[in-house]
């Protein structure tokens, strides 16, 4: 007797992709303000920690819930801002920051003067000053603004209109942020969490000194497992305002504070938002002629940052001494294109154009900040970037198609890329660092991809004619497929993620077929190629999804011990099979877990000789726990109901056993 009882549990949401909502400012949206430095030295002395002050847009703040405000005010903002305050040094302002006023009708005259050997200018308004000066989408408070300067059209009768405030400007700050929490149109587009943009630059070195950051209230999650993503997103956005923007490259300085690009002295006409007219010492376009794609080659255009520290860091990172610079994103919309690192090459670097997993700020990003000429960086605050590390010029300068073919021909792993199509049966894997259950994001598209993005001549179990429809789910990574964390969804609601360290990701006991345990001391382990099974005295349930899971472990006696359901299983060698046979939540669970290499999990690993190994094996004897009715279970004559548990993702793929 066979009986099917499909339990629909979850759909799978691969590639939770949060995009950056950055849009570079347009000409006229950036003002230039003279700030008295108080220094008489020509050279830059970036020796003080950057001081960022922020002010809330009270209006929009009133409209968000107290929970969200607390998360923003008490955690996200202080952590993100503090990170950059620690990571970057500047030549500090001695005087308060006074921001420039916008002229009515944008009719402006400039009065030039020399201060400390540098040429500056004060803008004067012909038709008077605008009632409000905006920074991004926020009105700058009156007492942060310079007095209003006006002149007649012919430059005569110039005067300053005194303000009402006894004290004007922002003291003890090198950068001022206006923070709003408005649900704007840009928030509603895609999955934008926040965006930030600079709005004023000072006139000595053109460093940005003020910016606006908006946090999209509907995208704020108050779940603890989302906090890291929120902080990292905010750090990312802040950096666009501080210097990582195509609209600022033209203003970058060398180490002596001299301009690299030639600039119009009032910054107006040379305002650049798409990369043209920027010196090749900053940004360079290179064509990679023999870019291998499915059944041929194309010419692939790339843009690279070519400043000295960035070149050094990126060559070190990939171990490729002929690399011309760090590749920028060549896809995406206005604010993604040229204002982020290339996703294919820098996958989880936080300054790539989409957030996919485990974001880090690398030395390369800090090097870019140094190469603005405005900052020095504290490299001890950089986090290690594993993606692409030491993979050489083949990785850094060739298509992922060529890399994959090369590795296959050498019979090596095609890491960090992958070629397992997401399909039935859903088989998960582990990320390289084993901190998450993961999937290869290779999928089939409804339409054929552009020739440039067809990266395969061969995919296991895929017909040759359809290869052009297959690509990674992250477009910005040139559709190169790679292993990625994912999220489980139920009825359109995100239920849990796949990162091992969050106990929030634990499945409910009745759904925890593979006896996983998520938490601070968990890592990802592979299963063998058999399905997990649960039995009681009447039924067998089989799970149509397996492959890997998160498990608790501990290190002792030179070995790694896996802890499952309070039972300890010791690993004596890599890939040894641990057969699990445990009673939990009214079911006997059966499955197999593969041992990791001890050194992947533990620091003090030892290799034992045969004799001590045997002693150790008897010391850490594996325990067996069977059901009371186990004798019945093993009897083949008993009619058992077999239930196949599948996931909504595979709704059309019921299997009768
Ligand atoms: C916001 O955070 C600051 C410190 O970061 C704190 O002084 C202030 O009280 C907080 N505001 C509220 C309303 O919680
Ligand atoms: C200055 O203050 C006076 C009286 O409070 C007010 O009428 C006037 O509009 C203010 N001027 C400006 C420029 O804010
Ligand atoms: C960049 O903008 C300039 C002027 O706005 C335009 O002439 C040029 O074609 C643009 N270049 C690209 C690559 O879009
Ligand atoms: C750089 O950061 C590290 C780690 O936070 C800190 O110990 C060190 O003092 C910093 N260096 C400087 C020059 O501030
Ligand atoms: C860097 O590449 C060279 C050859 O190009 C190789 O000999 C060396 O071992 C590589 N270094 C690392 C750290 O991978
Ligand atoms: C598919 O392509 C591979 C590699 O190009 C080739 O070896 C194989 O014969 C092709 N198969 C079919 C059915 O055309
Ligand atoms: C493991 O043991 C602890 C303490 O004895 C107990 O609280 C917990 O419920 C046990 N967990 C399982 C899964 O049996
Ligand atoms: Zn961005």
């Amino acid at each position: 007797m066979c009986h099917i009882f499909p339990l629909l549990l979850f759909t799978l949401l691969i590639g939770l992709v949060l995009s950056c909502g950055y849009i570079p400012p347009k000409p006229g949206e950036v003002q230039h303000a003279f700030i008295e430095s108080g220094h008489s030295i020509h050279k830059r002395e970036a020796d003080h920690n950057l001081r960022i002050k922020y002010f809330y847009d009270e209006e929009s703040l009133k409209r968000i819930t107290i929970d969200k405000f607390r998360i923003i005010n008490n955690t996200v903002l202080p952590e993100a801002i503090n990170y950059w305050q620690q990571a970057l040094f500047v030549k500090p302002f001695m005087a308060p920051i006074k921001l420039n006023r916008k002229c009515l009708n944008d009719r402006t005259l400039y009065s030039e003067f020399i201060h400390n050997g540098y040429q500056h200018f004060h803008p004067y308004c012909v038709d008077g000053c605008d009632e409000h000066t905006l920074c991004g989408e926020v009105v700058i408070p009156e007492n942060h603004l310079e007095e209003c300067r006006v002149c007649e059209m012919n430059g005569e009768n110039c005067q300053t209109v005194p303000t009402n405030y006894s004290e004007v400007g922002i003291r003890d700050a090198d950068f001022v942020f206006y923070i709003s929490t408005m649900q704007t149109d840009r928030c509603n587009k895609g999955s934008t969490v926040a965006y930030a943009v600079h709005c004023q630059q000072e006139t000595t070195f053109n460093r940005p000194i003020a910016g606006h950051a908006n946090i999209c209230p509907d995208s704020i999650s108050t779940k603890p497992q989302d906090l890291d993503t929120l902080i990292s997103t905010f750090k990312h956005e802040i950096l666009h305002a501080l210097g990582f923007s195509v609209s600022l490259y033209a203003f970058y300085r060398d180490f002596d504070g001299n301009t690299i690009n030639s600039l119009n002295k009032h910054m107006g006409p040379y305002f650049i938002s798409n990369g043209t007219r920027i010196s090749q010492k900053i940004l360079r376009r290179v064509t990679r002629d023999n870019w291998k794609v499915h059944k041929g080659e194309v010419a692939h255009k790339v843009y690279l940052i070519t400043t000295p520290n960035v070149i050094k860091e990126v060559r070190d990172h990939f171990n490729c001494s002929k690399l011309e610079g760090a590749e920028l994103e060549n896809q995406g919309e206005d604010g993604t294109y040229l204002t982020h690192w290339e996703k294919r090459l820098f996958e989880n670097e936080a300054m790539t154009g989409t957030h996919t997993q485990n974001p880090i700020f690398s030395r390369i990003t800090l090097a870019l900040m140094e190469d603005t000429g405005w900052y020095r960086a504290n490299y001890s605050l950089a986090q290690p970037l594993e993606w692409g590390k030491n993979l050489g010029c083949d990785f850094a300068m060739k298509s992922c198609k060529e890399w994959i073919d090369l590795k296959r021909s050498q019979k090596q792993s095609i890491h960090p890329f992958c070629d397992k199509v997401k399909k039935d049966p859903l088989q998960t894997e582990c990320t390289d660092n084993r901190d998450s259950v993961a999937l290869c994001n290779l999928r089939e598209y409804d339409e054929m991809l552009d020739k440039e993005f067809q990266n395969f001549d061969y995919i296991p179990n895929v017909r040759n004619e359809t290869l052009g429809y297959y690509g990674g789910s992250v477009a910005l990574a040139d559709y190169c497929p790679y292993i990625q964390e994912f999220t489980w969804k139920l009825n359109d609601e995100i239920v849990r993620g796949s990162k091992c360290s969050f106990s929030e990701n634990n499945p409910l006991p009745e759904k925890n077929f593979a006896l996983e345990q998520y938490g601070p001391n968990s890592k990802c382990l592979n299963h063998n190629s058999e399905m997990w099974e649960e039995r009681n005295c009447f039924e067998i349930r089989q799970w149509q999804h397996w492959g890997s899971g998160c498990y608790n472990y501990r290190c002792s006696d030179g070995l790694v011990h896996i802890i499952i359901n309070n039972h300890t299983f010791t690993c004596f060698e890599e890939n040894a099979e641990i057969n699990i046979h445990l009673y939990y939540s009214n079911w006997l669970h059966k499955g197999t877990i593969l041992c990791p290499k001890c050194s992947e999990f533990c620091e003090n690993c030892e290799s034992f000789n045969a004799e001590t190994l045997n002693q150790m094996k008897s010391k850490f004897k594996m325990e067996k726990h069977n059901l009371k009715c186990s004798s019945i279970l093993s009897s083949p004559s008993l009619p058992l109901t077999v239930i196949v548990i599948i996931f909504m993702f595979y709704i059309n793929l019921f299997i009768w056993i």
Side-chain angles (χ1 to χ4, degrees):
M1 186 190 82
C2 242
H3 188 109
I4 196 152
F5 181 8
L7 286 179
L8 301 180
L9 291 180
F10 292 114
T11 49
L12 177 75
L13 180 74
I14 176 97
L16 177 71
V17 175
L18 300 177
S19 341
C20 167
Y22 183 73
I23 299 178
K26 290 175 190 57
E29 288 177 357
V30 178
Q31 313 282 325
H32 300 268
F34 165 66
I35 315 287
E36 194 161 349
S37 68
H39 287 265
S40 55
I41 316 108
H42 287 240
K43 297 217 169 183
R44 297 183 316 122
E45 296 187 315
D47 52 359
H48 280 66
N49 280 102
L50 174 69
R51 296 163 303 170
I52 302 175
K53 279 210 175 167
Y54 54 93
F55 299 89
Y56 288 117
D57 169 54
E58 302 288 341
E59 269 310 299
S60 59
L61 214 60
K62 277 186 220 146
R63 278 177 263 124
I64 65 166
T65 64
I66 187 76
D67 283 2
K68 290 186 177 179
F69 175 74
R70 284 217 187 95
I71 286 207
I72 294 168
N73 184 62
N74 300 354
T75 314
V76 177
L77 267 179
E79 285 207 20
I81 283 179
N82 198 39
Y83 177 78
W84 292 119
Q85 294 191 139
Q86 298 302 314
L88 300 178
F89 306 103
V90 285
K91 175 170 173 171
F93 287 144
M94 297 303 176
I97 295 181
K98 292 181 198 171
L99 298 174
N100 219 351
R101 285 177 189 271
K102 187 166 163 46
C103 292
L104 211 54
N105 305 324
D106 285 324
R107 295 222 295 169
T108 312
L109 295 173
Y110 298 95
S111 133
E112 286 161 23
F113 62 96
I114 304 280
H115 178 80
N116 284 345
Y118 284 97
Q119 172 126 41
H120 294 274
F121 56 87
H122 275 314
Y124 282 77
C125 297
V126 175
D127 300 330
C129 296
D130 230 337
E131 187 184 353
H132 295 304
T133 300
L134 291 178
C135 181
E137 297 161 312
V138 169
V139 175
I140 300 176
E142 248 334 272
N143 63 343
H144 292 179
L145 295 171
E146 278 265 22
E147 44 285 83
C148 172
R149 295 194 177 83
V150 289
C151 273
E152 280 170 16
M153 191 56 208
N154 56 8
E156 282 172 11
N157 287 333
C158 294
Q159 52 173 309
T160 15
V161 183
T163 61
N164 276 358
Y165 298 93
S166 57
E167 202 181 315
V168 173
I170 306 115
R171 284 188 180 284
D172 306 318
D174 305 301
F175 190 93
V176 51
F177 246 127
Y178 297 100
I179 314 277
S180 61
T181 51
M182 301 183 271
Q183 190 66 27
T184 58
D185 287 348
R186 277 165 72 186
C187 290
N188 297 331
K189 227 177 96 193
S191 33
T192 301
V193 176
Y195 50 85
V197 69
H198 73 283
C199 65
Q200 302 224 351
Q201 289 166 259
E202 48 87 14
T203 53
T204 313
F205 299 110
N206 314 111
R207 181 171 69 74
I209 52 168
H212 164 230
N214 186 51
I215 304 174
C216 300
D218 291 357
S219 317
I220 303 285
S221 157
T222 48
K223 289 187 187 156
Q225 65 267 42
D226 294 332
L227 193 58
D228 284 348
T229 307
L230 214 52
I231 294 170
S232 137
T233 305
F234 210 65
K235 283 187 196 166
H236 169 120
E237 298 304 330
I238 291 175
L239 209 63
H240 284 316
L242 294 180
F244 198 154
S245 165
V246 66
S247 63
L248 288 167
Y249 298 154
F251 298 103
Y252 284 11
R253 302 265 169 161
D254 68 15
F255 276 106
D256 295 326
N258 301 316
T259 52
I260 302 169
N261 218 54
S262 54
L263 288 173
N264 170 301
K265 59 187 171 203
H266 303 138
M267 286 58 176
Y270 276 64
F271 193 89
I272 291 151
S273 68
N274 66 6
T276 46
R277 294 213 252 163
I278 297 178
S279 162
Q280 298 228 338
K281 289 182 188 152
I282 300 170
L283 181 74
R284 213 176 123 190
R285 195 177 99 168
V286 170
T287 305
R288 306 240 186 267
D289 285 322
N290 307 310
W291 192 258
K292 296 249 187 334
V293 294
H294 176 51
K295 283 187 169 167
E297 290 178 355
V298 295
H300 180 72
K301 271 186 228 135
V302 300
Y303 288 87
L304 302 137
I305 291 283
T306 49
T307 53
N309 286 301
V310 169
I311 289 183
K312 179 187 169 298
E313 289 300 332
V314 81
R315 285 178 179 170
D316 282 358
H317 175 73
F318 292 118
N319 189 19
C320 171
S321 57
K322 64 177 184 202
L323 192 58
E324 311 91 332
E327 211 174 301
L328 291 172
E329 186 57 63
N330 57 350
Q331 295 163 273
E333 292 176 17
D334 210 8
T336 304
Y337 180 71
L338 296 188
T339 291
H340 294 95
W341 300 128
E342 166 59 48
K343 190 77 181 167
R344 182 187 86 259
L345 289 178
F346 300 101
E347 198 271 316
N348 67 322
E349 221 294 339
M351 291 313 295
T352 53
T354 54
H355 165 94
T356 46
Q357 58 192 341
N358 194 28
I360 59 103
F361 290 85
S362 69
R363 293 180 62 90
I364 300 166
T365 292
L366 294 187
L368 180 71
M369 285 299 103
E370 288 214 318
D371 287 344
T372 60
W374 304 317
Y375 309 101
R376 285 197 183 277
N378 184 345
Y379 284 93
S380 47
L381 272 93
Q383 296 156 292
L385 177 62
E386 299 301 335
W387 182 270
K389 183 95 190 132
N390 287 326
L391 295 186
C393 298
D394 284 341
F395 182 78
M397 300 176 75
K398 292 178 176 170
S399 72
C400 64
K401 154 94 170 44
E402 193 166 355
W403 171 262
I404 290 170
D405 288 352
L406 181 74
K407 291 289 144 177
R408 278 177 180 161
S409 72
Q410 296 168 344
K411 302 253 181 299
Q412 289 178 12
S413 149
I414 63 170
H415 154 100
F417 302 117
C418 59
D419 62 4
K420 199 184 271 180
V421 184
K422 259 192 306 150
K423 65 176 175 62
D424 172 63
L426 177 60
Q427 245 191 302
T428 58
E429 320 184 30
C430 295
T431 50
D432 279 332
N433 60 8
R434 290 189 182 268
D435 70 358
S436 181
V437 171
L439 278 171
C440 180
N441 65 21
L442 180 58
R443 52 167 285 206
E444 185 178 3
Y445 283 86
D446 293 337
E447 285 175 30
M448 194 180 276
L449 298 174
D450 281 354
K451 186 88 185 155
E452 190 171 3
F453 302 125
Q454 295 183 16
N455 291 312
F456 288 96
D457 282 341
Y458 165 76
I459 300 173
N461 306 318
V462 170
R463 285 181 300 129
N464 282 6
E465 315 84 78
T466 60
L467 286 169
Y469 293 84
Y470 284 84
S473 60
V474 180
L476 292 186
D478 299 345
Y479 294 91
C480 296
Y482 61 91
I483 303 271
Q484 209 191 320
E485 291 171 20
F486 61 92
T487 302
W488 297 100
K489 254 181 139 182
L490 180 61
N491 301 332
D492 268 352
E493 201 169 316
I494 289 176
V495 181
R496 59 188 188 95
S498 66
K499 214 185 197 41
C500 294
S501 60
F502 292 117
S503 27
E504 294 82 0
N505 289 340
N506 269 311
L508 294 171
E510 65 270 22
K511 290 170 185 169
N512 191 4
F513 64 94
L515 303 173
E516 290 183 271
Q517 190 174 349
Y518 292 72
N521 206 30
S522 288
K523 277 187 190 275
C524 184
L525 291 171
N526 289 312
H527 301 151
N528 74 353
S529 58
E530 276 156 50
M531 229 183 267
W532 277 70
E533 195 179 271
E534 290 173 334
R535 291 170 177 233
N536 62 20
C537 294
F538 312 102
E539 288 172 324
I540 299 176
R541 302 204 297 200
Q542 287 182 322
W543 293 74
Q544 262 290 310
H545 137 71
W546 81 102
S548 59
C550 293
Y551 297 93
N552 218 322
Y553 70 96
R554 99 185 126 74
C555 302
S556 72
D557 303 275
L559 295 164
V560 53
H561 310 269
I562 311 300
I563 302 157
I564 298 173
N565 203 3
N566 283 351
H567 299 290
T568 300
F569 301 89
T570 302
C571 283
F572 297 100
E573 59 198 340
E574 191 182 355
N575 283 331
E577 294 195 345
I578 302 178
N579 295 311
I580 309 293
H581 216 100
L582 289 174
Y583 190 69
Y584 166 79
S585 188
N586 302 322
W587 294 87
L588 176 73
H589 295 245
K590 268 181 70 185
T592 302
I593 286 170
L594 300 180
C595 279
K597 197 174 178 172
C598 177
S599 59
E600 285 183 273
F601 281 44
C602 305
E603 278 172 9
N604 302 315
C605 291
E606 287 174 43
S607 39
F608 299 99
N609 61 29
E611 194 186 333
T612 25
L613 196 62
N614 278 334
Q615 282 167 8
M616 300 297 278
K617 281 186 181 171
S618 61
K619 182 174 169 194
F620 300 108
K621 216 166 41 220
M622 296 218 183
E623 301 160 75
K624 274 235 156 68
H625 298 264
N626 285 339
L627 266 185
K628 289 205 184 68
C629 58
S630 60
S631 56
I632 310 174
L633 265 181
S634 53
S635 151
S637 59
L638 189 88
L640 285 174
T641 307
V642 177
I643 304 174
V644 181
I645 312 240
I646 55 160
F647 294 81
M648 211 131 87
F649 194 66
Y650 295 109
I651 196 152
N652 300 318
L653 299 169
F654 293 162
I655 297 172
W656 294 79
I657 299 175

